[in-house]
Amino acid sequence: MIDFRALRVASTLACALVFVSGAPAWGAYPEKAARVIVPSPPGGGNDIMARLAAQKLGEAWGKQVVVDNRPGAGGAIAFEMAARSAADGYTLLLGSTNLTVLPDMQKVNYHPIKDFVPVSLMAKSMNILLVHPSVPAKSTKELIAIAKAQPGKLNYATSIATSVHLAAELFKAKAGVNIVMVPYKGMGPALMDLIAGHVDVAFANPAASQDYVRSGRMRALAVTGEKRYSGLPEVPTIAETAIPGFEASTWWGILAPAGTPAAVVSEVNGKLAVALTQRDMIDRIAALGADLVGGPPERLAEHLNAEIPKWREVVRAANIRL
């Protein structure tokens, strides 16, 4: 859910910096166009989130902020480019879950902590635990019981090395069950096979699956977030019904190359804090099945430091490779 208190605090601090000094301490920033590097092609959650940030920053500054799509290598191309860019405030990065998990899946030439400075944790999106209607489980506990009674009989559809894949493997580990993975090139085909009954289980983003749930073509047992999803409030969390403490979310945030001046980070964070309170921003991010987060740079730093060991254990246990 939206942390309006954190957003208001960040916005107030940013405004106070400008008011006290009369002008930003580093000069007339920005003096030229800036860019946001995105680790994926146009379209999809990463690209949409980056374009929202770029639009709002551009409007606030009266300067162009372009989106620079650099797909490939699971995101490594974009992450390495951003890490090598000048730390002058004119290159930003749209970071997501892959930034922190990729180093454990393949060899990369960047470090998710040492090579970047956190700017803003923009949003998080949970996933939904789904089953085909023919699966008799009506709850997460019942699904776990079935899986334990018949190890290896149930299967789950997923796109490899994605947040839904990680969520499924975390679920298997925490529940102590053997559910067989069926890999797909994307979650679109995976969900079609779930609807057709070719697979039993899947984890999927709310934006991609909630309409199928409402129509009865698949059953939602639980969500993977810390709180229930506002679009399906009757669906409980996994944590409250079966596995205490369970949480698996996709995140999106803005980072900058290591060494970017603190004043620049504060400026960008403050502008985004204001943007995250605006109704059009809230509505467009909600359409992705996501919740706004916001807050100071330290909030993203804490999130990154928690994500790395959590998913490293999952990746290594499941031997997930790209």
Side-chain angles (χ1 to χ4, degrees):
M1 299 299 292
I2 306 164
D3 190 339
F4 284 107
R5 182 179 178 184
L7 296 179
R8 286 195 297 268
V9 169
S11 176
T12 301
L13 287 175
C15 292
L17 285 172
V18 176
F19 179 79
V20 171
S21 63
W26 64 93
Y29 173 85
E31 297 179 310
K32 59 182 180 179
R35 65 171 175 166
V36 180
I37 297 177
V38 186
S40 57
N46 287 346
D47 183 65
I48 293 171
M49 199 68 65
R51 291 184 187 278
L52 289 173
Q55 175 191 339
K56 292 301 182 180
L57 290 174
E59 291 173 355
W61 289 332
K63 300 286 185 180
Q64 186 178 23
V65 180
V66 300
V67 172
D68 187 358
N69 296 92
R70 299 285 178 162
I77 291 174
F79 302 146
E80 291 169 6
M81 174 179 288
R84 294 193 301 267
S85 297
D88 57 5
Y90 292 98
T91 294
L92 302 171
L93 171 70
L94 190 284
S96 60
T97 302
N98 265 19
L99 177 72
T100 50
V101 302
L102 204 58
D104 292 309
M105 295 181 181
Q106 65 182 43
K107 183 178 179 180
V108 297
N109 294 314
Y110 74 89
H111 190 283
I113 301 298
K114 296 177 182 178
D115 289 334
F116 301 98
V117 57
V119 177
S120 175
L121 180 58
M122 291 180 62
K124 293 174 68 176
S125 175
M126 65 188 73
N127 291 301
I128 303 177
L129 170 57
L130 306 156
V131 296
H132 184 265
S134 65
V135 176
K138 299 297 191 298
S139 69
T140 305
K141 280 188 176 180
E142 290 181 5
L143 179 67
I144 292 172
I146 293 170
K148 285 185 174 181
Q150 299 176 302
K153 181 178 181 180
L154 294 176
N155 56 39
Y156 78 93
T158 193
S159 178
I160 296 295
T162 60
S163 64
V164 292
H165 187 189
L166 293 171
E169 290 299 329
L170 179 64
F171 175 77
K172 288 170 57 179
K174 295 293 185 181
V177 296
N178 176 17
I179 301 177
V180 179
M181 180 186 70
V182 181
Y184 288 80
K185 291 184 178 180
M187 284 309 296
L191 291 178
M192 291 302 99
D193 270 8
L194 179 63
I195 289 171
H198 301 316
V199 289
D200 304 309
V201 181
F203 285 80
N205 179 275
S209 59
Q210 59 186 332
D211 288 345
Y212 298 128
V213 172
R214 294 190 183 104
S215 67
R217 302 175 77 183
M218 55 182 69
R219 182 185 305 126
L221 299 185
V223 296
T224 65
E226 296 173 338
K227 299 179 180 180
R228 296 190 181 197
Y229 171 55
S230 59
L232 296 169
E234 72 282 4
V235 179
T237 68
I238 291 175
E240 70 181 280
T241 57
I243 307 173
F246 187 94
E247 191 272 340
S249 299
T250 301
W251 62 271
W252 294 278
I254 297 295
L255 302 97
T260 299
V264 172
V265 173
S266 293
E267 166 67 12
V268 177
N269 177 272
K271 292 296 187 291
L272 288 175
V274 173
L276 291 173
T277 65
Q278 296 172 357
R279 175 51 55 185
D280 63 330
M281 191 79 156
I282 295 171
D283 291 344
R284 292 180 70 181
I285 290 181
L288 296 174
D291 291 317
L292 298 177
V293 180
E298 291 77 14
R299 187 167 190 173
L300 176 54
E302 292 172 359
H303 184 72
L304 294 175
N305 283 315
E307 286 280 284
I308 291 173
K310 173 181 179 176
W311 294 120
R312 175 173 292 154
E313 182 179 351
V314 173
V315 168
R316 292 179 177 178
N319 193 28
I320 301 174
R321 305 293 296 175
L322 279 176

mmCIF file of all heavy atoms in Angstrom, residues 37-39 70-84 102 106 108 110:
data_model
loop_
_atom_site.group_PDB
_atom_site.id
_atom_site.type_symbol
_atom_site.label_atom_id
_atom_site.label_comp_id
_atom_site.label_asym_id
_atom_site.label_seq_id
_atom_site.Cartn_x
_atom_site.Cartn_y
_atom_site.Cartn_z
ATOM 1 N N ILE A 37 17.949 4.503 -17.936
ATOM 2 C CA ILE A 37 18.258 3.243 -18.611
ATOM 3 C C ILE A 37 17.307 2.164 -18.090
ATOM 4 O O ILE A 37 17.077 2.039 -16.884
ATOM 5 C CB ILE A 37 19.718 2.835 -18.357
ATOM 6 C CG1 ILE A 37 20.672 3.885 -18.967
ATOM 7 C CG2 ILE A 37 20.006 1.456 -18.946
ATOM 8 C CD1 ILE A 37 22.139 3.610 -18.703
ATOM 9 N N VAL A 38 16.767 1.371 -19.009
ATOM 10 C CA VAL A 38 15.783 0.335 -18.670
ATOM 11 C C VAL A 38 16.305 -1.027 -19.139
ATOM 12 O O VAL A 38 16.713 -1.174 -20.297
ATOM 13 C CB VAL A 38 14.430 0.619 -19.351
ATOM 14 C CG1 VAL A 38 13.385 -0.372 -18.866
ATOM 15 C CG2 VAL A 38 13.985 2.037 -19.071
ATOM 16 N N PRO A 39 16.272 -2.049 -18.283
ATOM 17 C CA PRO A 39 16.819 -3.361 -18.642
ATOM 18 C C PRO A 39 15.857 -4.252 -19.415
ATOM 19 O O PRO A 39 15.833 -5.475 -19.216
ATOM 20 C CB PRO A 39 17.134 -3.958 -17.273
ATOM 21 C CG PRO A 39 16.077 -3.399 -16.397
ATOM 22 C CD PRO A 39 15.849 -1.991 -16.873
ATOM 23 N N ARG A 70 17.613 -0.876 -22.965
ATOM 24 C CA ARG A 70 18.807 -1.682 -23.231
ATOM 25 C C ARG A 70 18.554 -3.123 -22.792
ATOM 26 O O ARG A 70 19.059 -3.588 -21.784
ATOM 27 C CB ARG A 70 20.014 -1.112 -22.486
ATOM 28 C CG ARG A 70 20.366 0.310 -22.880
ATOM 29 C CD ARG A 70 21.046 0.353 -24.238
ATOM 30 N NE ARG A 70 21.350 1.735 -24.633
ATOM 31 C CZ ARG A 70 22.227 2.064 -25.582
ATOM 32 N NH1 ARG A 70 22.879 1.109 -26.229
ATOM 33 N NH2 ARG A 70 22.426 3.326 -25.886
ATOM 34 N N PRO A 71 17.734 -3.863 -23.547
ATOM 35 C CA PRO A 71 17.425 -5.242 -23.155
ATOM 36 C C PRO A 71 18.590 -6.179 -23.432
ATOM 37 O O PRO A 71 19.524 -5.834 -24.160
ATOM 38 C CB PRO A 71 16.223 -5.575 -24.045
ATOM 39 C CG PRO A 71 16.435 -4.744 -25.278
ATOM 40 C CD PRO A 71 17.055 -3.456 -24.787
ATOM 41 N N GLY A 72 18.514 -7.359 -22.856
ATOM 42 C CA GLY A 72 19.494 -8.397 -23.155
ATOM 43 C C GLY A 72 20.214 -8.903 -21.927
ATOM 44 O O GLY A 72 20.377 -8.185 -20.931
ATOM 45 N N ALA A 73 20.614 -10.182 -21.986
ATOM 46 C CA ALA A 73 21.397 -10.835 -20.932
ATOM 47 C C ALA A 73 20.700 -10.765 -19.577
ATOM 48 O O ALA A 73 21.356 -10.614 -18.539
ATOM 49 C CB ALA A 73 22.796 -10.232 -20.852
ATOM 50 N N GLY A 74 19.371 -10.859 -19.589
ATOM 51 C CA GLY A 74 18.633 -10.842 -18.339
ATOM 52 C C GLY A 74 18.643 -9.517 -17.619
ATOM 53 O O GLY A 74 18.257 -9.432 -16.459
ATOM 54 N N GLY A 75 19.079 -8.466 -18.311
ATOM 55 C CA GLY A 75 19.175 -7.144 -17.697
ATOM 56 C C GLY A 75 20.604 -6.693 -17.491
ATOM 57 O O GLY A 75 20.860 -5.515 -17.198
ATOM 58 N N ALA A 76 21.561 -7.609 -17.644
ATOM 59 C CA ALA A 76 22.960 -7.289 -17.362
ATOM 60 C C ALA A 76 23.495 -6.179 -18.250
ATOM 61 O O ALA A 76 24.316 -5.362 -17.810
ATOM 62 C CB ALA A 76 23.828 -8.541 -17.513
ATOM 63 N N ILE A 77 23.060 -6.121 -19.507
ATOM 64 C CA ILE A 77 23.549 -5.078 -20.418
ATOM 65 C C ILE A 77 23.212 -3.694 -19.867
ATOM 66 O O ILE A 77 24.060 -2.796 -19.819
ATOM 67 C CB ILE A 77 22.949 -5.266 -21.826
ATOM 68 C CG1 ILE A 77 23.528 -6.523 -22.481
ATOM 69 C CG2 ILE A 77 23.216 -4.043 -22.698
ATOM 70 C CD1 ILE A 77 22.894 -6.870 -23.810
ATOM 71 N N ALA A 78 21.978 -3.520 -19.435
ATOM 72 C CA ALA A 78 21.553 -2.227 -18.882
ATOM 73 C C ALA A 78 22.254 -1.924 -17.565
ATOM 74 O O ALA A 78 22.712 -0.798 -17.337
ATOM 75 C CB ALA A 78 20.040 -2.220 -18.687
ATOM 76 N N PHE A 79 22.341 -2.917 -16.696
ATOM 77 C CA PHE A 79 22.945 -2.696 -15.388
ATOM 78 C C PHE A 79 24.429 -2.335 -15.511
ATOM 79 O O PHE A 79 24.925 -1.447 -14.814
ATOM 80 C CB PHE A 79 22.777 -3.936 -14.508
ATOM 81 C CG PHE A 79 21.338 -4.344 -14.302
ATOM 82 C CD1 PHE A 79 20.980 -5.677 -14.192
ATOM 83 C CD2 PHE A 79 20.335 -3.387 -14.218
ATOM 84 C CE1 PHE A 79 19.665 -6.057 -13.994
ATOM 85 C CE2 PHE A 79 19.001 -3.746 -14.025
ATOM 86 C CZ PHE A 79 18.674 -5.088 -13.916
ATOM 87 N N GLU A 80 25.142 -3.025 -16.400
ATOM 88 C CA GLU A 80 26.562 -2.743 -16.586
ATOM 89 C C GLU A 80 26.771 -1.376 -17.229
ATOM 90 O O GLU A 80 27.700 -0.642 -16.877
ATOM 91 C CB GLU A 80 27.202 -3.854 -17.424
ATOM 92 C CG GLU A 80 27.279 -5.189 -16.675
ATOM 93 C CD GLU A 80 27.658 -6.358 -17.563
ATOM 94 O OE1 GLU A 80 27.983 -6.134 -18.745
ATOM 95 O OE2 GLU A 80 27.639 -7.504 -17.067
ATOM 96 N N MET A 81 25.907 -1.005 -18.171
ATOM 97 C CA MET A 81 26.002 0.318 -18.794
ATOM 98 C C MET A 81 25.796 1.415 -17.759
ATOM 99 O O MET A 81 26.538 2.405 -17.716
ATOM 100 C CB MET A 81 24.967 0.451 -19.912
ATOM 101 C CG MET A 81 24.900 1.850 -20.509
ATOM 102 S SD MET A 81 23.681 1.965 -21.843
ATOM 103 C CE MET A 81 24.527 1.046 -23.115
ATOM 104 N N ALA A 82 24.789 1.254 -16.925
ATOM 105 C CA ALA A 82 24.521 2.259 -15.896
ATOM 106 C C ALA A 82 25.671 2.357 -14.902
ATOM 107 O O ALA A 82 26.051 3.455 -14.487
ATOM 108 C CB ALA A 82 23.220 1.928 -15.166
ATOM 109 N N ALA A 83 26.229 1.217 -14.534
ATOM 110 C CA ALA A 83 27.334 1.210 -13.574
ATOM 111 C C ALA A 83 28.550 1.940 -14.118
ATOM 112 O O ALA A 83 29.320 2.544 -13.357
ATOM 113 C CB ALA A 83 27.699 -0.223 -13.207
ATOM 114 N N ARG A 84 28.760 1.904 -15.428
ATOM 115 C CA ARG A 84 29.932 2.543 -16.057
ATOM 116 C C ARG A 84 29.670 3.998 -16.442
ATOM 117 O O ARG A 84 30.585 4.689 -16.898
ATOM 118 C CB ARG A 84 30.352 1.758 -17.304
ATOM 119 C CG ARG A 84 30.869 0.351 -17.024
ATOM 120 C CD ARG A 84 31.556 -0.227 -18.245
ATOM 121 N NE ARG A 84 30.663 -0.282 -19.395
ATOM 122 C CZ ARG A 84 29.920 -1.344 -19.715
ATOM 123 N NH1 ARG A 84 29.958 -2.432 -18.951
ATOM 124 N NH2 ARG A 84 29.142 -1.331 -20.774
ATOM 125 N N LEU A 102 20.470 -11.363 -10.415
ATOM 126 C CA LEU A 102 21.236 -11.775 -11.592
ATOM 127 C C LEU A 102 22.662 -12.223 -11.270
ATOM 128 O O LEU A 102 23.144 -13.203 -11.860
ATOM 129 C CB LEU A 102 21.252 -10.629 -12.615
ATOM 130 C CG LEU A 102 21.482 -11.014 -14.073
ATOM 131 C CD1 LEU A 102 20.433 -11.999 -14.550
ATOM 132 C CD2 LEU A 102 21.473 -9.771 -14.954
ATOM 133 N N GLN A 106 24.257 -15.760 -13.160
ATOM 134 C CA GLN A 106 25.243 -15.748 -14.243
ATOM 135 C C GLN A 106 26.358 -14.776 -13.879
ATOM 136 O O GLN A 106 26.241 -13.990 -12.944
ATOM 137 C CB GLN A 106 24.594 -15.318 -15.559
ATOM 138 C CG GLN A 106 24.085 -13.878 -15.555
ATOM 139 C CD GLN A 106 23.417 -13.499 -16.855
ATOM 140 O OE1 GLN A 106 22.638 -14.263 -17.417
ATOM 141 N NE2 GLN A 106 23.705 -12.306 -17.353
ATOM 142 N N VAL A 108 28.349 -11.504 -14.104
ATOM 143 C CA VAL A 108 28.045 -10.132 -14.499
ATOM 144 C C VAL A 108 29.214 -9.227 -14.114
ATOM 145 O O VAL A 108 30.035 -9.573 -13.265
ATOM 146 C CB VAL A 108 26.749 -9.616 -13.832
ATOM 147 C CG1 VAL A 108 25.554 -10.432 -14.286
ATOM 148 C CG2 VAL A 108 26.867 -9.646 -12.312
ATOM 149 N N TYR A 110 29.018 -6.125 -12.714
ATOM 150 C CA TYR A 110 28.555 -5.045 -11.845
ATOM 151 C C TYR A 110 28.242 -5.635 -10.482
ATOM 152 O O TYR A 110 28.037 -6.844 -10.335
ATOM 153 C CB TYR A 110 27.307 -4.360 -12.405
ATOM 154 C CG TYR A 110 26.046 -5.180 -12.265
ATOM 155 C CD1 TYR A 110 25.247 -5.086 -11.121
ATOM 156 C CD2 TYR A 110 25.644 -6.074 -13.260
ATOM 157 C CE1 TYR A 110 24.100 -5.855 -10.976
ATOM 158 C CE2 TYR A 110 24.502 -6.844 -13.112
ATOM 159 C CZ TYR A 110 23.733 -6.725 -11.969
ATOM 160 O OH TYR A 110 22.607 -7.493 -11.812
#
